[in-house]
Amino acid sequence: MVINLRSRTRSLSFSIGFVLTEEDGPKAEFKVDKNQTHAHTMLAELQTLLWAPLNLNSAPSIAPQGSMGFLAAFSLCVLLITVEAHGALASRRAFSAPTEPLADGICASSVTVHGYKCHELKVTTKDGYILSLQRIPEGREEAREHNATKKQPVIIQHGVLVDGMTWLLNPPEQSLPFILADNGFDVWIVNTRGTRYSRQHISLDPSSPDFWNWSWDELVSYDLPAVFDYVFSQTEQKINYIGHSQGTLIALASFTEGNLVNQLRSAALLSPIAYLSHMSTALGVLAAKSFVGEITTLFGLAEFNPRGLPVAAFVNALCAHPGVDCYDLLTALTGKNCCLNSSTVDLFLSNEPQPTSTKNMVHLAQTVRHGVLAKFNYERPDYNIMHYGEAFPPLYNLSNIPHNLPLFVSYGGRDALSDVLDVDSLLDALKFHDVDKLSVQFIKDYAHADYVMAFNARDLVYNEVLAFFKRQFDT
């Protein structure tokens, strides 16, 4: 079978033909139009980036006409189609805008309507990002009774490509923030930089690439400390923390450097992400291994907006790849979730996904490819030396986490992102943790999104988290 694709951008006219054969496997023939010397140079640079993650001994040299590996050529084609579409529609802001913020914020739309008190707050990080927080200071019945009892604070941190709203999509009796508030906790919901309610900066605009020059390293260095400092100053109490997915990654990385631990009472890690080598989502693995993140950074696509045309084109092209089934995109990314109501999924899809930085997605892809928990790799020794003083990025050493820090870890048997084998590696890194300070829960049928939106998460997970927090308070 032969598939011919052709595109023409302002700077590059090219054609790529995909040739699928039973004898030799997939190959791709490409040809650059005549008098396109600069385009040939661009292709050579792009192929170097695309070929590296495939772990082959060598990449074939590019001539004005030649062949390359199927995945590399496929990714190159995706990239160029994406860049072309992005350029053509750059003036149409509707394509690049994130999910629009609700006029009155998360409190008015999703909290006070259920009879809970809620405060919209702002916190500024040391690097100038203005983060949105929602505080639910007490339970519904306490609000009616005007109970002023001092509560234990709990910070709730969402994962990548979503925001704080994702915790509030179920009815109150099934949603973690409300359950915590009704059980006597002072709840603080965080919205990571770049999401719809945290798109402000003291000097930068989201339309500027500089606004998006960060990865989860900066969430470790700036966002979490700013939130912890603010909550601690307001409550004057040590803080309980709940993270999901990337929310666990940034917490673990922070704990390895001794940050936050003096303000922390305990931490619950749901679908923990530290290692990603065994991630089983075909869509995620293909995206990580095709190295597209580094290339989109090269072309200035600083904001990774899943609702924008460039990223949507990229995802659609990946979904067309053999072995990738995107009929149910949520399942394709997170695993087969057991316990989501269709109404909750509909709400999720109307509110999420949210933007992040392309650099952040690149950093996560590096974690998949390199199999270590490390700071952002600039891929060039001189750049790494400039940032870190050494040729390779420093590691986050999980064994540095204080052994007496109370940790609760819960993971699922169907999770395609937080794979069982990767969580086993995390637990192995915590093998010297004090036995009475580490609680581990395994739920065979749970996948990644179940921990946030499952109709039975209260019975299976949240009640265990509550019991864990209360044990730490009693000791």
Side-chain angles (χ1 to χ4, degrees):
M1 179 176 70
V2 178
I3 305 171
N4 290 304
L5 299 172
R6 185 170 182 82
S7 179
R8 183 177 298 275
T9 71
R10 296 177 188 173
S11 61
L12 173 60
S13 180
F14 70 95
S15 63
I16 298 179
F18 294 98
V19 182
L20 306 182
T21 64
E22 294 182 2
E23 297 80 4
D24 301 321
K27 294 182 179 178
E29 300 292 331
F30 68 91
K31 180 169 64 176
V32 178
D33 287 357
K34 294 179 180 179
N35 304 318
Q36 298 263 325
T37 304
H38 64 293
H40 171 232
T41 301
M42 180 191 293
L43 277 174
E45 292 175 352
L46 290 175
Q47 189 192 6
T48 299
L49 287 172
L50 286 161
W51 203 267
L54 301 183
N55 295 320
L56 301 178
N57 293 329
S58 62
S61 60
I62 277 190
Q65 183 170 313
S67 64
M68 66 174 81
F70 176 79
L71 179 57
F74 179 84
S75 302
L76 174 59
C77 185
V78 170
L79 168 71
L80 292 171
I81 292 170
T82 299
V83 171
E84 181 180 26
H86 180 58
L89 297 166
S91 63
R92 297 175 64 178
R93 297 183 62 85
F95 284 102
S96 60
T99 308
E100 288 298 318
L102 299 170
D104 298 322
I106 291 177
C107 280
S109 66
S110 303
V111 181
T112 58
V113 292
H114 296 297
Y116 293 82
K117 286 184 179 179
C118 187
H119 308 298
E120 294 280 358
L121 303 165
K122 300 287 186 182
V123 174
T124 303
T125 67
K126 288 185 177 179
D127 60 345
Y129 289 84
I130 301 171
L131 309 180
S132 169
L133 299 179
Q134 288 75 43
R135 183 184 188 182
I136 308 174
E138 58 191 20
R140 182 160 44 185
E141 294 304 317
E142 292 173 296
R144 294 170 182 163
E145 297 169 5
H146 305 289
N147 191 328
T149 305
K150 203 166 187 178
K151 312 292 183 182
Q152 282 191 67
V154 181
I155 291 173
I156 308 180
Q157 175 64 64
H158 62 77
V160 69
L161 298 178
V162 295
D163 65 357
M165 180 71 83
T166 195
W167 298 105
L168 299 164
L169 301 178
N170 275 333
E173 62 273 11
Q174 296 175 1
S175 297
L176 179 57
F178 297 129
I179 293 168
L180 289 165
D182 285 336
N183 278 272
F185 290 91
D186 179 4
V187 181
W188 302 71
I189 302 171
V190 185
N191 296 272
T192 297
R193 62 175 68 186
T195 57
R196 58 183 158 178
Y197 296 105
S198 296
R199 291 173 68 87
Q200 293 179 296
H201 190 277
I202 59 174
S203 62
L204 299 174
D205 188 89
S207 63
S208 166
D210 289 339
F211 181 92
W212 301 98
N213 186 21
W214 51 267
S215 78
W216 57 261
D217 281 335
E218 281 68 35
L219 308 186
V220 172
S221 300
Y222 298 110
D223 285 30
L224 273 186
V227 172
F228 265 71
D229 287 345
Y230 183 76
V231 172
F232 190 77
S233 71
Q234 295 297 306
T235 64
E236 299 181 334
Q237 292 192 80
K238 286 197 169 186
I239 298 163
N240 299 289
Y241 177 87
I242 299 174
H244 175 253
S245 191
Q246 182 182 260
T248 70
L249 172 66
I250 60 177
L252 288 166
S254 182
F255 300 160
T256 68
E257 298 189 329
N259 298 328
L260 312 182
V261 293
N262 292 330
Q263 300 169 316
L264 186 68
R265 184 183 300 279
S266 61
L269 310 176
L270 311 181
S271 291
I273 298 293
Y275 301 103
L276 289 166
S277 300
H278 296 91
M279 184 173 67
S280 56
T281 160
L283 180 59
V285 170
L286 180 62
K289 289 189 175 181
S290 64
F291 227 47
V292 170
E294 281 82 348
I295 299 169
T296 51
T297 300
L298 179 68
F299 274 88
L301 192 61
E303 177 182 3
F304 190 92
N305 177 15
R307 290 178 180 263
L309 187 63
V311 174
F314 165 54
V315 173
N316 286 339
L318 291 183
C319 288
H321 192 272
V324 177
D325 180 7
C326 295
Y327 177 75
D328 179 352
L329 193 56
L330 185 62
T331 297
L333 287 169
T334 66
K336 191 174 182 180
N337 299 282
C338 71
C339 306
L340 306 184
N341 283 323
S342 59
S343 58
T344 302
V345 174
D346 289 342
L347 276 174
F348 174 83
L349 294 176
S350 67
N351 282 281
E352 317 292 352
Q354 294 292 316
T356 187
S357 72
T358 298
K359 186 176 180 180
N360 189 42
M361 297 302 289
V362 171
H363 197 177
L364 292 169
Q366 290 174 352
T367 306
V368 176
R369 296 195 304 265
H370 301 161
V372 295
L373 190 61
K375 292 182 181 292
F376 185 84
N377 191 338
Y378 289 88
E379 303 295 344
R380 284 179 49 172
D382 56 335
Y383 280 25
N384 284 332
I385 289 171
M386 181 172 64
H387 284 87
Y388 309 122
E390 50 190 296
F392 297 97
L395 299 179
Y396 291 102
N397 189 345
L398 292 170
S399 65
N400 288 340
I401 296 176
H403 296 172
N404 62 348
L405 178 65
L407 297 176
F408 174 88
V409 175
S410 184
Y411 64 110
R414 293 183 176 180
D415 198 325
L417 293 174
S418 179
D419 186 84
V420 170
L421 293 176
D422 287 326
V423 178
D424 286 344
S425 296
L426 168 62
L427 295 175
D428 185 64
L430 298 173
K431 61 187 174 185
F432 297 116
H433 214 78
D434 291 356
V435 175
D436 61 339
K437 297 297 183 182
L438 178 61
S439 300
V440 179
Q441 180 190 46
F442 174 71
I443 303 177
K444 179 181 177 181
D445 294 331
Y446 260 31
H448 209 67
D450 285 314
Y451 279 93
V452 179
M453 298 185 292
F455 57 78
N456 60 356
R458 176 176 190 150
D459 294 332
L460 296 183
V461 183
Y462 302 160
N463 284 342
E464 293 296 319
V465 172
L466 287 169
F468 168 74
F469 283 162
K470 289 178 178 178
R471 286 199 301 272
Q472 311 317 315
F473 186 73
D474 294 336
T475 57

